[in-house]
Amino acid sequence: MSKVVLITGASSGIGEATALRLAADGHRVVLGARREDRLASIAKAIEAAGGEADVRRLDVTDRRDVAAFADAAAERHGRIDVIVNNAGVMPLSRLDALLVEEWDRMIDVNVRGLLYGIAAALPHFQRQGEGHFVTVASVGAHEVVPTGAVYCGTKFAAWAITEGLRQELDPGIRVTTLSPGVVESELADSITDPLAQGAMRDFRKDTIPPSSMADAIAYAIGQPADVDVNELVIRPARQR
């Protein structure tokens, strides 16, 4: 069954891979991110392969912008079936580096952005009596490492918010948390702290492609309506 799927942070990494995979599966994808040129390129590739994609510039830290993203998709397609809250940033650093502006950015994107996505989609899902939330968290939701205190805190918050959402909602609305390990992406490019940069180079020596996360999302949303895949933790086999 074809679904209308909203994806935030869709311009690269897991978001891009998910857009390509779900469009190939016959779903109609609605792509949101700040880099409109990247979104346009991805949509062109999807359409060339016979898929269907809409694009919209999106700042997940702006509540009104996220609401308009969901409302426009619902107006165009008549409904929305899935929202993949994928947008995230990871400028790691030790706390004593006092990179407070980077802390604020992680909280704004990783936590507020998720909450705004939930707030935007939930009224549509409740009106329909069905829908599916997918949160892209991290293995950082389950363990803390040096330089990762704030990032891991935001991802634990993402996990906790999503689990609370699952418990509160009617069973007709499904909820999935995906916690990726080390995946090939641009996520580490935002690290400015030299110590964290060095640690991350070693940490990222073993990676898996973002398509592996897209496959997991496709699996979760493809289950029958009475099956709710609550949580998936996926990491490289060599990551411990």
Side-chain angles (χ1 to χ4, degrees):
M1 175 182 172
S2 176
K3 297 182 178 182
V4 178
V5 183
L6 279 59
I7 306 171
T8 73
S11 59
S12 66
I14 294 172
E16 177 182 3
T18 300
L20 294 169
R21 168 60 198 269
L22 297 186
D25 287 349
H27 300 297
R28 291 170 288 174
V29 295
V30 182
L31 313 182
R34 290 179 301 160
R35 293 181 292 180
E36 289 181 277
D37 57 333
R38 283 289 303 147
L39 295 179
S41 177
I42 295 164
K44 185 176 180 180
I46 288 171
E47 290 163 359
E52 186 176 344
D54 299 336
V55 302
R56 183 184 179 102
R57 187 187 186 282
L58 175 66
D59 179 358
V60 298
T61 69
D62 183 331
R63 180 181 175 183
R64 292 184 180 85
D65 202 21
V66 182
F69 175 62
D71 291 346
E75 182 176 357
R76 174 173 170 79
H77 298 288
R79 62 184 290 116
I80 56 177
D81 298 296
V82 182
I83 182 168
V84 181
N85 285 304
N86 166 71
V89 294
M90 191 185 68
L92 303 179
S93 65
R94 284 172 54 97
L95 289 171
D96 56 12
L98 295 178
L99 299 179
V100 178
E101 291 183 356
E102 294 186 356
W103 304 349
D104 288 343
R105 180 66 178 162
M106 282 187 279
I107 292 168
D108 286 344
V109 175
N110 299 355
V111 182
R112 288 194 177 92
L114 168 62
L115 288 168
Y116 294 163
I118 291 169
L122 185 52
H124 295 283
F125 290 170
Q126 289 178 319
R127 184 165 52 251
Q128 296 165 184
E130 61 184 355
H132 199 148
F133 289 100
V134 178
T135 295
V136 179
S138 168
V139 293
H142 304 278
E143 60 185 349
V144 181
V145 296
T147 75
V150 178
Y151 176 74
C152 294
T154 65
K155 289 302 184 176
F156 178 81
W159 177 90
I161 289 164
T162 308
E163 173 60 12
L165 180 69
R166 183 190 71 80
Q167 294 183 29
E168 291 175 5
L169 291 180
D170 180 89
I173 302 174
R174 299 186 291 174
V175 180
T176 301
T177 303
L178 173 65
S179 291
V182 184
V183 174
E184 297 167 10
S185 74
E186 300 174 355
L187 199 57
D189 295 350
S190 62
I191 299 173
T192 63
D193 180 74
L195 177 65
Q197 285 176 338
M200 186 52 57
R201 278 193 294 271
D202 182 61
F203 187 64
R204 295 182 69 83
K205 65 181 182 297
D206 296 305
T207 63
I208 51 180
S211 59
S212 57
M213 302 302 147
D215 292 343
I217 293 171
Y219 166 77
I221 72 169
Q223 296 305 298
D226 61 345
V227 176
D228 194 0
V229 179
N230 300 147
E231 186 165 10
L232 293 161
V233 180
I234 301 175
R235 52 166 66 93
R238 296 182 63 84
Q239 184 181 348
R240 290 292 184 265

